[in-house]
Amino acid sequence: MAEAPAVSQVNQWIDDAVQSTPIVDLHTHLYPPNFGPLMLWGIDELVTYHYLIAETLRIATIPYEQYWAMTQKQQAELIWKTLFVEHAPISEACRGVLTVLQRLGLDVASANLNQFRDFFHSQTSEQYLDKVMKLANVRTLVMTNDPFESVEREIWLNNPRVDPRFKAVLRIDPLLVGWPRVADVLTDHGYKVSTDLGANTMKEIRRFLSDWLDRMKGIYIACSLPPSWRYPDDSPATKVINEAILPIARERNLPFATMIGVNKLVNPSLRLAGDSVAKADARSFERLCAQNPKNKFLVTMLSRENQHELAVASRKFRNMLLFGCWWFMNNPILINEITRMRMELLGTSFVPQHSDARILDQIIYKWDHSRAIIAQVLKDKFQDIASAGWAITRQQVQTTVSDYFAGNFERFLQWTPN
Ligand code: HDL
Ligand code: ZN
């Protein structure tokens, strides 16, 4: 009978694989240095991340407009004073800043914001990008590219060189939830559309999608959807999905990614920090998969209450790939709960995490924190099968981690639904 490896040996294999396997980060808001103002990095950006703005303005109860009138340096100093000096930085977003500083080798205990600033001022964006991707052990950053955002649109219209470590994604929320306003924008951009959503308009929307997928070399089409999203129904969203997005996605064998459950701007005064969450309708997503078997779908949902039914739906439809602990789910307690549930329901066939990073430095902490949890869950799950007599091999551990961190997503991109 084969000698079973010791628990400590298996755990070491898991730690080694989790730390050493490079990650394909399939949803971020990051950009390469030549995208200018869109590439965010450094301590002042980290500290003014919209998660920390929301947390600060609960405590520093200055008028919202007074905060927005500050310079970013002043905003960072208010946030640092409020969340890191006057109070313990124990939230996940605060802890993340500390992890980044620690992994960069800075004197975290000094709590000296200006000292940290000196380090970042000594970096160039190009060298810092290399440093951060190496520290985070991330090999590919999948972007979120919005042709409706004027600064980004101008950059793409100038045919920028794209660092091969970055992959583009066509993000098209306004096409689904922006009617009738989006018709004027499309018209201004040279697409002959009208709010009647007739055949000619659908043809022009398909042309818009094709133009931008070609321009960006997009690897999937993405949108976020509100809890009220239903499919199919008689809304413009269903018409655009059925007559424009899915035909183009099939034609190009691209996934359509739906990120479901965001309540936009429940507090507009918080701007980007003003969005909230509510339980969405997973049945609609099941129908999207069932009624379009020749399409493939990436999916993540924002509400904890949707996670179990989404994992069960993933057992039913191989043309969907479940990914990540998105946004308000990206906290240790929920990552742990959801990853355990997904491993128990899906085994190796899902993508446990993405960073959703908006500031480059964040991939250090978002992946450090998630890697630790994923490793612990794997140790427990491998121990469970070892207890049943299974002979675990190092290769099996490595294959599992490689699938989670890159392989499942990359194979899904290549696969043509049959
Ligand atoms: O819509 C999205 O892609 C979300 O991830 C939002 O960007 C959100 O503001 C965010 O940053 N989540 O982490
Ligand atoms: Zn995002």
Side-chain angles (χ1 to χ4, degrees):
M1 179 183 278
E3 180 68 23
V7 170
S8 58
Q9 173 66 81
V10 173
N11 288 350
Q12 190 58 58
W13 288 342
I14 291 168
D15 284 335
D16 292 350
V18 165
Q19 291 308 320
S20 66
T21 303
I23 280 166
V24 172
D25 195 345
L26 76 76
H27 172 62
T28 79
H29 299 268
L30 300 178
Y31 296 88
N34 63 319
F35 278 59
L38 296 183
M39 178 191 173
L40 305 179
W41 63 285
I43 188 67
D44 284 86
E45 290 292 353
L46 267 178
V47 172
T48 57
Y49 180 37
H50 69 78
Y51 292 27
L52 293 172
I53 295 173
E55 293 174 31
T56 298
L57 295 180
R58 286 194 47 73
I59 300 171
T61 51
I62 57 171
Y64 291 118
E65 287 323 308
Q66 183 183 332
Y67 174 81
W68 296 115
M70 291 178 180
T71 64
Q72 185 185 49
K73 185 172 181 294
Q74 291 167 333
Q75 290 170 346
E77 283 157 7
L78 172 67
I79 292 171
W80 188 260
K81 180 168 78 72
T82 306
L83 297 182
F84 292 82
V85 177
E86 293 171 352
H87 298 82
I90 55 174
S91 76
E92 181 62 8
C94 285
R95 174 198 171 207
V97 175
L98 305 184
T99 299
V100 171
L101 297 172
Q102 183 185 49
R103 289 290 310 282
L104 289 168
L106 301 182
D107 178 8
V108 182
S110 76
N112 185 321
L113 183 57
N114 285 319
Q115 194 176 61
F116 302 146
R117 281 171 167 159
D118 292 344
F119 165 77
F120 288 96
H121 291 150
S122 72
Q123 303 291 306
T124 66
S125 56
E126 292 78 6
Q127 68 182 174
Y128 192 62
L129 170 62
D130 295 343
K131 180 194 289 277
V132 168
M133 290 189 79
K134 189 169 180 345
L135 279 173
N137 197 8
V138 170
R139 68 172 162 85
T140 301
L141 290 167
V142 181
M143 300 186 278
T144 297
N145 304 106
D146 181 351
F148 295 98
E149 202 284 315
S150 52
V151 171
E152 174 151 18
R153 180 174 182 271
E154 283 314 304
I155 291 171
W156 284 107
L157 291 178
N158 285 308
N159 192 26
R161 178 191 169 276
V162 180
D163 180 318
R165 294 171 291 182
F166 288 78
K167 302 299 177 193
V169 161
L170 179 54
R171 180 70 178 257
I172 47 85
D173 295 24
L175 285 186
L176 298 182
V177 296
W179 295 92
R181 294 180 312 284
V182 71
D184 295 338
V185 176
L186 289 167
T187 304
D188 290 349
H189 292 179
Y191 297 93
K192 297 182 185 58
V193 299
S194 73
T195 54
D196 71 357
L197 293 170
N200 289 333
T201 293
M202 287 301 148
K203 186 162 174 280
E204 282 293 87
I205 295 172
R206 287 193 296 270
R207 185 167 71 89
F208 168 86
L209 293 172
S210 295
D211 289 350
W212 280 100
L213 285 168
D214 290 344
R215 184 171 288 126
M216 293 176 171
K217 296 183 181 55
I219 64 170
Y220 62 80
I221 303 169
C223 70
S224 71
L225 292 166
S228 57
W229 176 69
R230 295 294 180 273
Y231 179 91
D233 65 5
D234 56 3
S235 71
T238 291
K239 208 161 166 46
V240 171
I241 288 171
N242 284 345
E243 298 179 34
I245 294 170
L246 294 186
I248 293 295
R250 269 195 307 278
E251 188 181 291
R252 294 164 177 255
N253 192 33
L254 297 178
F256 176 37
T258 56
M259 303 166 68
I260 311 167
V262 52
N263 261 333
K264 299 297 280 185
L265 294 178
V266 296
N267 181 352
S269 300
L270 283 173
R271 299 183 184 177
L272 203 51
D275 299 337
S276 183
V277 56
K279 188 174 187 308
D281 178 47
R283 303 291 73 68
S284 288
F285 181 74
E286 280 181 349
R287 285 191 290 269
L288 183 66
C289 294
Q291 294 176 19
N292 302 285
K294 298 288 186 188
N295 279 91
K296 49 191 182 182
F297 301 92
L298 290 162
V299 62
T300 197
M301 292 181 84
L302 193 51
S303 167
R304 180 189 188 193
E305 287 68 28
N306 279 127
Q307 301 305 323
H308 181 249
E309 54 190 336
L310 190 61
V312 172
S314 191
R315 292 169 58 87
K316 310 305 161 193
F317 298 105
R318 64 187 181 187
N319 62 328
M320 68 174 271
L321 181 61
L322 176 56
F323 76 91
C325 300
W326 181 32
W327 200 346
F328 304 115
M329 294 295 302
N330 198 0
N331 296 311
I333 187 169
L334 295 176
I335 299 167
N336 179 50
E337 173 187 273
I338 306 310
T339 304
R340 281 179 192 278
M341 179 185 64
R342 289 170 174 174
M343 271 192 209
E344 290 166 7
L345 277 169
L346 296 165
T348 64
S349 64
F350 66 100
V351 178
Q353 191 57 293
H354 66 281
S355 72
D356 220 334
R358 283 181 171 275
I359 295 111
L360 174 65
D361 328 44
Q362 290 176 332
I363 60 174
I364 295 173
Y365 88 81
K366 287 176 183 260
W367 282 111
D368 265 20
H369 296 179
S370 289
R371 273 188 162 107
I373 298 166
I374 293 165
Q376 188 51 59
V377 179
L378 280 170
K379 287 173 185 173
D380 294 346
K381 294 299 138 192
F382 271 105
Q383 184 48 45
D384 287 347
I385 58 175
S387 304
W390 186 254
I392 296 164
T393 66
R394 180 168 201 158
Q395 183 51 51
Q396 209 172 58
V397 167
Q398 183 57 63
T399 301
T400 303
V401 173
S402 299
D403 284 349
Y404 280 152
F405 284 3
N408 286 344
F409 175 59
E410 292 183 321
R411 281 193 299 276
F412 194 68
L413 290 177
Q414 296 306 316
W415 175 63
T416 303
N418 46 42

